[in-house]
């Protein structure tokens, strides 16, 4: 049993509590605040096929350091997770990697929608958290770019009561835009090619299909005020539409290209500052349900490549909670909104069972993001050297207490 003494609850009360455990441990938690452990509905831990960028041995430690004990991994690996066999093979690899480090991280897997393997969906329905649809190409080759296949996915998902998570960027618009900006070398071109219309058009299409089939729809990485307006409308109409945003769409914008260069390249791209504001407002209104780190590591040398060759994506799982807590101190978010974004809404949307996992946070610890201390294999952060106030100190997963500062 783990006994936690003198911890502050989210209501501000000082309480003692116990957590079932095979360890006998007493934690003096004076000055720390108790949060439910975080759930990350959107990570790319790169196994199989891209283990040089990240694997579950490094990523699980990064997750714990970020206060997370549950993650949902995306299917755009090499090979992509598009058949029952590939799904089982991926699980075996993940379990072996977690076993190596002895961290029983909770995870769920998304199944990739691929037009040649849609018939596999019914056979995996009890083993997956949902179906991931790339409406536009991102890392990997997984894409559903024709209306007929997209319609089939929504129909199959509705029949089998599966949730569809969409990467909502329209592939046809992206292709047109790429021709228009051919030869451009400025990293900021990325935001021009994958402009707001690219995302809005895809979200519109996905919501339309949900209206038609009743499919539960989870819109990944919402990044624009126009998408927010469409999602608001859909929710008001009673449609089962849920929305995620990311730390980078909340805390970064196009001005980041100047310093971060290729590190700022991400899909969907960074937008202008007005969209940051709109996203915070959408959180207050309950239009945005969750935050997904979209932890998508690439090596530094990959991110230093010129525009066009530089892959999209950035790491994020270790810095999301400190960024949110720092925003709380700046008056941008309440602690209850942070809990809703990082665990409560995800638990409800994805029907996750309750557990005893928690994270103990020092709301007032003020420290910079130090890249060499990060556990992610890529060892860099778009928030490097930023001083943030509010950091997790202990994460408790399945009755095992991890002291984050000394996690090796
Ligand atoms: Zn992603």
């Amino acid at each position: 049993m783990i006994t936690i003494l003198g911890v502050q609850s989210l209501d501000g009360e000082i309480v003692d509590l116990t957590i079932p455990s095979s360890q006998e441990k007493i934690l003096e938690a004076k000055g720390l605040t108790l949060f439910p452990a975080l759930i990350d509905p959107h990570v790319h831990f790169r196994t199989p096929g891209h283990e040089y960028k990240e694997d579950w041995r490094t990523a699980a430690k990064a997750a714990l350091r970020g206060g997370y004990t549950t993650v949902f991994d995306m299917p755009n690996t090499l090979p992509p997770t598009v058949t029952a066999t590939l799904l089982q093979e991926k699980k075996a690899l993940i379990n072996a990697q977690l076993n190596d480090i002895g961290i029983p991280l909770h995870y769920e897997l998304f199944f990739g929608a691929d037009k040649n393997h849609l018939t596999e969906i019914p056979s995996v329905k009890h083993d997956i958290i949902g179906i991931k649809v790339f409406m536009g190409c991102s890392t990997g080759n997984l894409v559903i770019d024709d209306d007929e296949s997209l319609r089939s996915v929504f129909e199959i998902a509705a029949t089998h009561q599966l949730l569809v998570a969409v990467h909502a960027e329209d592939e046809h618009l992206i292709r047109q835009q790429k021709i228009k900006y051919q030869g451009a070398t400025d990293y900021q071109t990325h935001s021009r090619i994958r402009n707001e219309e690219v995302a809005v058009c895809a979200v519109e299409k996905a919501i339309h299909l949900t209206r038609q089939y009743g499919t539960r729809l989870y819109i990944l990485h919402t990044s624009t005020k126009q998408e927010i307006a469409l999602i608001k409308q859909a929710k008001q109409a009673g449609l089962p539409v849920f929305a995620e945003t990311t730390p980078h769409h909340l805390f970064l914008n196009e001005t980041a290209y100047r310093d971060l260069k290729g590190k700022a390249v991400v899909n969907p791209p960074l937008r202008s500052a007005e969209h940051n504001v709109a996203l915070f407002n959408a959180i207050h209104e309950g239009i945005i349900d969750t935050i997904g780190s979209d932890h998508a590591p690439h090596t530094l040398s990959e991110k230093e490549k010129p525009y066009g060759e530089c892959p999209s994506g950035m790491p994020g799982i270790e810095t999301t909670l400190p960024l949110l807590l720092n925003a709380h101190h700046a008056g941008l978010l309440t602690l209850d909104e942070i809990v809703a974004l990082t665990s409560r809404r995800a638990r409800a949307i994805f029907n996750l069972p309750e557990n005893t996992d928690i994270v103990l946070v020092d709301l007032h610890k003020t420290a910079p993001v130090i890249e060499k201390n990060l556990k992610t294999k890529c060892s860099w952060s778009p928030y490097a050297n930023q001083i943030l106030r509010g950091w997790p100190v202990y994460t408790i997963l399945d009755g095992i207490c991890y002291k984050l500062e000394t996690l090796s």
Side-chain angles (χ1 to χ4, degrees), residues 42 44 74 132 221 294:
H42 188 165
H44 301 264
M74 290 298 169
K132 166 80 180 271
H221 39 50
D294 198 1

Side-chain angles (χ1 to χ4, degrees), residues 160-171:
H160 296 280
Q161 277 124 46
L162 284 163
L163 171 145
V164 170
V166 288
H167 179 124
E169 288 190 292
D170 187 273
E171 182 60 21

Side-chain angles (χ1 to χ4, degrees), residues 155-229:
E155 198 174 1
I156 294 168
T159 306
H160 296 280
Q161 277 124 46
L162 284 163
L163 171 145
V164 170
V166 288
H167 179 124
E169 288 190 292
D170 187 273
E171 182 60 21
H172 299 279
L173 287 180
I174 295 171
R175 281 183 206 154
Q176 282 172 22
Q177 289 287 96
K178 276 188 177 164
I179 294 167
K180 198 164 142 192
Y181 287 99
Q182 217 162 24
T185 55
D186 186 347
Y187 292 106
Q188 195 160 348
T189 309
H190 197 64
S191 290
R192 300 193 186 108
I193 290 176
R194 292 176 177 255
N195 64 11
E196 294 161 31
E197 196 196 342
V198 166
V200 176
C201 166
V203 164
E204 219 161 21
K205 204 181 256 184
I207 291 176
H208 177 72
L209 289 169
T210 276
R211 189 171 287 122
Q212 201 168 351
Y213 294 106
T215 318
R216 301 179 81 233
L217 173 63
Y218 183 77
I219 296 169
L220 298 153
H221 39 50
T222 307
S223 62
T224 67
K225 60 179 185 182
Q226 300 92 317
E227 289 166 279
I228 292 166

Side-chain angles (χ1 to χ4, degrees), residues 58-129:
T58 44
K61 291 178 188 172
L64 290 179
R65 288 238 318 162
Y68 289 88
T69 62
T70 305
V71 301
F72 302 170
D73 193 61
M74 290 298 169
N76 56 330
T77 44
L78 189 66
T81 321
V82 294
T83 68
T85 307
L86 289 167
L87 181 75
Q88 291 316 321
E89 287 173 3
K90 180 172 176 175
K91 276 194 179 173
L93 285 171
I94 293 171
N95 292 344
Q97 292 179 10
L98 290 177
N99 205 34
D100 277 352
I101 50 165
I103 296 178
L105 191 73
H106 302 302
Y107 72 87
E108 299 286 347
L109 300 180
F110 275 103
F111 191 70
D114 175 77
K115 63 188 94 176
N116 301 315
H117 296 100
L118 296 182
T119 52
E120 300 251 351
I121 292 173
S123 70
V124 297
K125 67 176 175 184
H126 299 300
D127 302 320
I128 58 174
I129 196 73

Side-chain angles (χ1 to χ4, degrees), residues 41 75-76 97 152 158 192 209 214 221 231-232 242 251 259 287 293 310 321 369 386 388 408:
N76 56 330
Q97 292 179 10
S152 296
R192 300 193 186 108
L209 289 169
H221 39 50
I231 294 161
K232 182 177 181 175
F242 311 100
F251 297 107
D259 294 332
I287 302 164
S293 72
C310 164
L321 181 57
V369 175
Q386 239 184 69
L388 302 174
S408 59

